[in-house]
Amino acid sequence: MTDDDTDRTRTGGGGRPQPDDRTRVGEAGDQDATCLEQSSAEDDTTRVSSPEDATRVSPAQETGEDAAGERTSGTTSNWERPDLWSAPSAGVIGPGATIKQRFVLEELIGQGGMGAVYRARDLRKEEAQDSEPHVALKLLSDEFRQHPDSLVALQREAKKAQVLAHPNIVTVYDFDRDGTQVFMTMEYLQGDPLDAVIRQRGAIGGLPQKEALPIIDRMSRGLAYAHQEGIVHSDFKPGNVFLTREGNAKILDFGIARAARVGTGATGDQTRFDPATIGAITPAYASAEMLEGDVPEPADDVYALACVAYELLTGKHPFLDESGRKLPADEAARRGLKPVPLRNVPKRVSRAVQRGLAARREDRFPDAGMFLEAIKPPARLGRTVVASLAILVLVAAASWWMIIREADMLVSLDDLPDSLDESRELILEGDRYLEAGDAPQAHRQYTLAWEQVEEQDGISSRDRDRLRVLVDRHTDAVFDHYVREAQREDLDEFSLELLRISLESLERSELGTRRDQLREALEKVNDRLDGE
């Protein structure tokens, strides 16, 4: 792969060069790569061009009990017994094969340490006449079957990733298997990975401020949302950020990163991936605490975020040795290195990045939300004026909201203006998922429907309130689904744990109105788990 490759499509990682549009899905790109020690050197294999950017894999302590089996059946699964699995439904895996009688593999678009990634056509989406029926399908390497605990851990993390519904996070659809073939399905994107953009623009001193700052803002929003949901990425780097053709930034591989104890199994800057030791870190972007084996915390993501922000603005990693090698945080601290202060950027941004690059966790921002607040432009109006306006707006909004609530049943999707067509389509897409029994994806679509309007200008408060009523109403249908699940008596312990994760995520969401029923369901699940 060369730095001249342009206009690519990717959901995750490195792929095969093509003369025109390309797709890169799966592992991280050339520099920030995760690959097996025994990976071949064929052209379509993701390789590491500089060792300091390589993802280093260390032992993770998290192990599983029983993962949910074929979807959520409530029965004991056999994820821990791969030796009992039957053969996959597709005899030969490759373009033209059909996985799980649903996903038709069309093209190999990426190869990395965890396995191969294909562009796949989702037959269920085609049946629903979805305008974009393609997904990115990552087939895990056969070596995972030798380490059942790793499969269980990955399935748990994929389940957690499914609750991350945010415009700046790549959607993870599912983690499943077809016979002996384990796979993960994700959102299919078009655009360029951030590491390639930095390589292309680094020679001229990074991206212009007007381009870099919006990307930093969007990355911060995605991480801030994940931290709010209790999830640490733990392997954030340019190769795990994707810039879409529409100009949005999306964070990848939350289904692979995990909030687990990271050990010291890797040596030096060698790129390794061993399914028996799942926890993955990239030394050039890992905090000193993570390199020492501490449990990842949001502040560790902040360090990586600050590194990436610095690279965007300067074209260089903040800590380089005399040869230009990117230094890990612990080595930079031993050498007493300090990053060169940023120039030609607002002072608030320079200060925030400097704090984010602090060697000690306690000196950084505690999470990405605090970093985001620090880089935001200050309010132009005085505090007194802002406070007065805020009170007036709240009073007006409360009055109008009460009126809308009284007329709740009168509001329909047809009442939304054309400017909210995207939110309307997301709600309809959520309805289709819910009808198919996929409540996590339904909730994701409803959440995105509301978040779209939060970032959209020119929408009247009346139309926003109407949309909120509709989103709440449809979200309540998701609540009802999980409340019914909590009443099932045939759920095993692992299924109850997954249900608890979903209920806790819904409880943190601001959407939906049936809070009391949700809390009661969560209490029932907790009581059952305490009694197991």
Side-chain angles (χ1 to χ4, degrees):
M1 179 156 41
T2 69
D3 293 348
D4 297 328
D5 296 322
T6 57
D7 199 8
R8 285 167 289 193
T9 303
R10 176 186 186 241
T11 303
R16 179 195 303 270
Q18 300 289 344
D20 48 8
D21 286 0
R22 299 196 329 172
T23 304
R24 295 181 59 198
V25 185
E27 308 312 318
D30 293 321
Q31 290 190 319
D32 304 332
T34 304
C35 65
L36 288 166
E37 289 181 291
Q38 61 269 37
S39 293
S40 67
E42 296 176 2
D43 291 341
D44 61 351
T45 301
T46 300
R47 298 190 299 273
V48 180
S49 57
S50 57
E52 65 272 12
D53 287 340
T55 294
R56 184 168 69 200
V57 179
S58 307
Q61 299 298 317
E62 181 176 3
T63 60
E65 293 166 358
D66 281 336
E70 307 291 342
R71 310 292 293 174
T72 52
S73 63
T75 59
T76 301
S77 75
N78 62 355
W79 278 87
E80 293 183 334
R81 295 295 308 277
D83 54 305
L84 301 179
W85 294 354
S86 61
S89 60
V92 178
I93 303 299
T98 301
I99 303 296
K100 203 73 175 180
Q101 298 180 331
R102 174 176 174 180
F103 302 102
V104 180
L105 306 184
E106 293 190 341
E107 180 187 2
L108 176 66
I109 52 179
Q111 185 104 14
M114 293 192 69
V117 187
Y118 292 84
R119 184 182 72 240
R121 191 171 74 256
D122 186 344
L123 298 180
R124 184 178 296 176
K125 284 190 172 188
E126 278 195 341
E127 291 174 4
Q129 298 183 334
D130 194 313
S131 59
E132 179 44 70
H134 289 97
V135 298
L137 189 145
K138 178 181 294 186
L139 292 170
L140 299 189
S141 66
D142 290 340
E143 296 189 11
F144 277 89
R145 289 203 301 276
Q146 302 172 21
H147 304 283
D149 286 348
S150 296
L151 288 173
V152 174
L154 278 175
Q155 206 234 20
R156 284 176 179 265
E157 293 308 317
K159 180 68 177 179
K160 293 177 185 178
Q162 283 183 282
V163 306
L164 293 178
H166 193 273
N168 301 117
I169 296 177
V170 167
T171 302
V172 174
Y173 294 134
D174 205 359
F175 184 91
D176 204 349
R177 68 177 180 86
D178 182 0
T180 58
Q181 191 66 64
V182 182
F183 65 93
M184 181 185 298
T185 53
M186 299 167 288
E187 181 181 6
Y188 181 79
L189 299 175
Q190 293 185 340
D192 285 293
L194 187 60
D195 57 348
V197 173
I198 291 175
R199 285 198 301 273
Q200 293 164 4
R201 309 286 287 277
I204 58 174
L207 277 65
Q209 182 184 147
K210 65 178 182 181
E211 292 183 44
L213 292 183
I215 295 174
I216 296 170
D217 177 87
R218 288 160 187 158
M219 294 188 303
S220 302
R221 289 178 184 275
L223 284 176
Y225 173 78
H227 293 169
Q228 179 184 327
E229 294 295 305
I231 296 178
V232 181
H233 192 291
S234 78
D235 193 26
F236 186 79
K237 55 187 176 182
N240 277 340
V241 179
F242 191 79
L243 300 183
T244 69
R245 288 180 176 177
E246 295 75 27
N248 193 19
K250 291 205 172 219
I251 302 172
L252 313 167
D253 282 353
F254 270 100
I256 297 171
R258 61 213 26 89
R261 181 175 295 278
V262 178
T264 56
T267 58
D269 289 321
Q270 184 179 15
T271 300
R272 290 174 34 185
F273 192 94
D274 182 353
T277 57
I278 282 295
I281 61 174
T282 302
Y285 299 92
S287 67
E289 292 84 1
M290 288 188 64
L291 293 169
E292 292 169 1
D294 289 356
V295 176
E297 294 184 7
D300 300 310
D301 281 349
V302 170
Y303 176 82
L305 174 62
C307 285
V308 177
Y310 192 97
E311 279 194 81
L312 273 170
L313 292 164
T314 67
K316 298 179 180 179
H317 189 275
F319 301 111
L320 301 173
D321 66 8
E322 298 78 5
S323 66
R325 179 176 67 94
K326 298 178 183 179
L327 296 177
D330 52 359
E331 185 175 346
R334 285 194 300 270
R335 296 188 181 196
L337 298 182
K338 300 291 183 182
V340 177
L342 295 171
R343 297 181 178 179
N344 301 320
V345 299
K347 289 185 177 180
R348 66 179 185 279
V349 175
S350 179
R351 287 194 295 264
V353 172
Q354 288 283 342
R355 180 176 172 183
L357 293 172
R360 299 190 306 170
R361 183 182 281 166
E362 56 267 26
D363 293 332
R364 298 178 218 126
F365 295 100
D367 56 49
M370 297 294 291
F371 180 89
L372 178 63
E373 287 299 317
I375 65 174
K376 281 184 178 179
R380 295 182 179 276
L381 296 177
R383 293 183 179 180
T384 304
V385 175
V386 171
S388 301
L389 288 175
I391 292 173
L392 291 174
V393 169
L394 286 174
V395 170
S399 301
W400 180 250
W401 185 247
M402 291 178 64
I403 296 172
I404 287 290
R405 280 292 181 192
E406 291 297 324
D408 189 338
M409 298 305 296
L410 301 178
V411 180
S412 70
L413 289 174
D414 293 335
D415 294 324
L416 298 180
D418 294 342
S419 55
L420 292 178
D421 278 349
E422 189 170 354
S423 292
R424 182 191 293 110
E425 288 303 316
L426 285 167
I427 292 175
L428 291 173
E429 180 73 7
D431 291 346
R432 288 191 286 269
Y433 275 117
L434 192 59
E435 186 177 352
D438 196 342
Q441 290 305 320
H443 182 243
R444 184 190 299 275
Q445 301 305 312
Y446 300 148
T447 302
L448 290 175
W450 177 245
E451 289 176 345
Q452 287 287 345
V453 74
E454 284 191 314
E455 298 183 357
Q456 194 171 343
D457 295 328
I459 305 299
S460 69
S461 59
R462 179 168 176 264
D463 288 331
R464 286 177 185 270
D465 290 338
R466 283 181 166 179
L467 177 63
R468 180 57 185 266
V469 168
L470 289 168
V471 170
D472 278 347
R473 184 190 302 165
H474 288 258
T475 301
D476 284 343
V478 175
F479 286 10
D480 292 342
H481 168 85
Y482 283 106
V483 169
R484 289 193 298 270
E485 285 290 297
Q487 295 170 351
R488 290 176 53 183
E489 299 295 333
D490 61 337
L491 297 180
D492 60 17
E493 183 177 356
F494 184 77
S495 297
L496 286 171
E497 288 181 354
L498 295 182
L499 181 58
R500 176 164 61 181
I501 291 173
S502 298
L503 289 170
E504 289 175 344
S505 175
L506 289 172
E507 191 178 36
R508 289 191 293 268
S509 171
E510 65 174 8
L511 302 175
T513 63
R514 298 177 185 171
R515 298 285 162 187
D516 292 340
Q517 296 94 317
L518 202 65
R519 278 191 289 270
E520 290 176 5
L522 183 56
E523 289 175 3
K524 287 181 180 179
V525 171
N526 286 331
D527 289 343
R528 289 175 64 181
L529 285 170
D530 291 341
E532 290 287 342

